[in-house]
Amino acid sequence: MTPGSDPLAAVARWPVPTAAVGVTASDATLASTGPLDEPLPLASVTKLLTALAVLVAVEEETLRLDDPAGPEGSTVEHLLAHASGLGLDGARLSLPGRRRIYSNAGFELLGELLAARSGTPFEAYVTEAVLGPLGMARTRAGNPAWGAAGTANDLMAFGRELLEPRVLSPAMLARATSVAFPGLDGVLPGFGRQRPNDWGLGFELRDGKTPHWTGRRNSPRTFGHFGRSGTFLWVDPVAGLACACVTNRDFGPWAAEAWPALSDEVVATFGEAHS
């Protein structure tokens, strides 16, 4: 880094037709580049929207984390934490609580349960409980595991909620971003087996994972998610920063190289002033 340099300058050199990236503190956008209001597929970043909606329902006592959900012995908490034993597409691969197995099917079950218990269609519940209160007007819900589309500006608004919660209580956010079912090994998609593969309630936790899609400068307390569509959102509560990215090129080696480098530049530039 040189004084006055732009930490997002590298985004223009990414091998991506369209990319929008923004960095925010809890109260203001700090840097941005690209078409921030262009909706693009969020892919698995959708899971963060679903998780927040489920956690709102828990605080409203529509659901409980220990409610049975999914295969026998599994609960809402297991599904949120990818610890139910269900595989990506719903095959039962393990007993609950034994392994961290990334599962789209688990989040689809959460969407169905939320709709059934609330009496409100899943997409409407997410809109009323999350998107509306956070001002995410250009984001649309879809399949609970991967189907939302949204903008970088909206993801930054979501990141501000995770830095200074209003929709959730601080206590619930702290629980959701702490390790659920500690000690479980598993595969972090795109980055291989992690021992342990720590996860919170919907939020992937950086902890000591290597390799990882965030940067070396990100604190171990960093949490978030990335998506196959070339999207990510990370929140680093130690640095007091959130970084959101949407693109129209699928995740691949380009992203595994570019995202950690970008994250390091962002934390190096803004982290000290907002920690």
Side-chain angles (χ1 to χ4, degrees), residues 42-50 145 155 225-227 231-233:
L42 298 184
S44 284
V45 175
T46 299
K47 292 181 176 71
L48 299 184
L49 306 180
T50 300
L155 281 185
H225 218 291
F226 78 90
T231 61
F232 72 74
L233 174 69

Side-chain angles (χ1 to χ4, degrees), residues 30-270:
L30 303 176
S32 62
T33 187
L36 300 175
D37 287 318
E38 181 176 338
L40 291 168
L42 298 184
S44 284
V45 175
T46 299
K47 292 181 176 71
L48 299 184
L49 306 180
T50 300
L52 195 64
V54 169
L55 295 171
V56 168
V58 169
E59 294 210 299
E60 292 178 343
E61 300 184 349
T62 300
L63 293 173
R64 292 173 37 158
L65 289 173
D66 60 1
D67 282 343
E72 184 178 356
S74 175
T75 65
V76 168
E77 185 172 14
H78 284 98
L79 293 177
L80 283 169
H82 298 286
S84 70
L86 293 179
L88 183 67
D89 297 321
R92 187 166 185 178
L93 304 179
S94 174
L95 292 173
R98 299 288 183 85
R99 295 164 56 195
R100 192 84 64 191
I101 305 173
Y102 188 79
S103 178
N104 284 339
F107 271 73
E108 290 164 354
L109 289 173
L110 286 169
E112 293 172 7
L113 181 63
L114 181 57
R117 292 288 185 86
S118 68
T120 303
F122 171 76
E123 292 182 22
Y125 191 95
V126 173
T127 300
E128 293 169 11
V130 178
L131 304 182
L134 297 184
M136 299 173 67
R138 294 183 66 81
T139 297
R140 297 291 177 266
N143 179 289
W146 50 263
T151 68
N153 264 337
D154 281 2
L155 281 185
M156 282 194 287
F158 193 81
R160 286 191 284 272
E161 164 68 16
L162 300 174
L163 286 166
E164 193 169 297
R166 296 172 293 126
V167 169
L168 279 189
S169 70
M172 179 60 79
L173 179 61
R175 180 169 182 178
T177 57
S178 300
V179 183
F181 309 104
L184 301 187
D185 295 345
V187 174
L188 177 62
F191 292 89
R193 181 161 294 279
Q194 308 283 335
R195 297 183 174 87
N197 189 21
D198 285 343
W199 224 278
L201 302 181
F203 298 92
E204 194 250 312
L205 309 181
R206 193 197 195 292
D207 285 351
K209 293 174 184 170
T210 183
H212 199 257
W213 54 277
T214 64
R216 294 178 181 271
R217 291 179 179 268
N218 282 97
S219 77
R221 291 179 56 199
T222 300
F223 59 87
H225 218 291
F226 78 90
R228 183 178 178 180
S229 60
T231 61
F232 72 74
L233 174 69
W234 60 248
V235 177
D236 188 335
V238 174
L241 301 172
C243 185
C245 168
V246 296
T247 80
N248 61 353
R249 181 178 180 185
D250 283 355
F251 173 84
W254 73 270
E257 178 180 351
W259 292 351
L262 175 76
S263 300
D264 281 337
E265 293 289 280
V266 166
V267 175
T269 303
F270 299 112

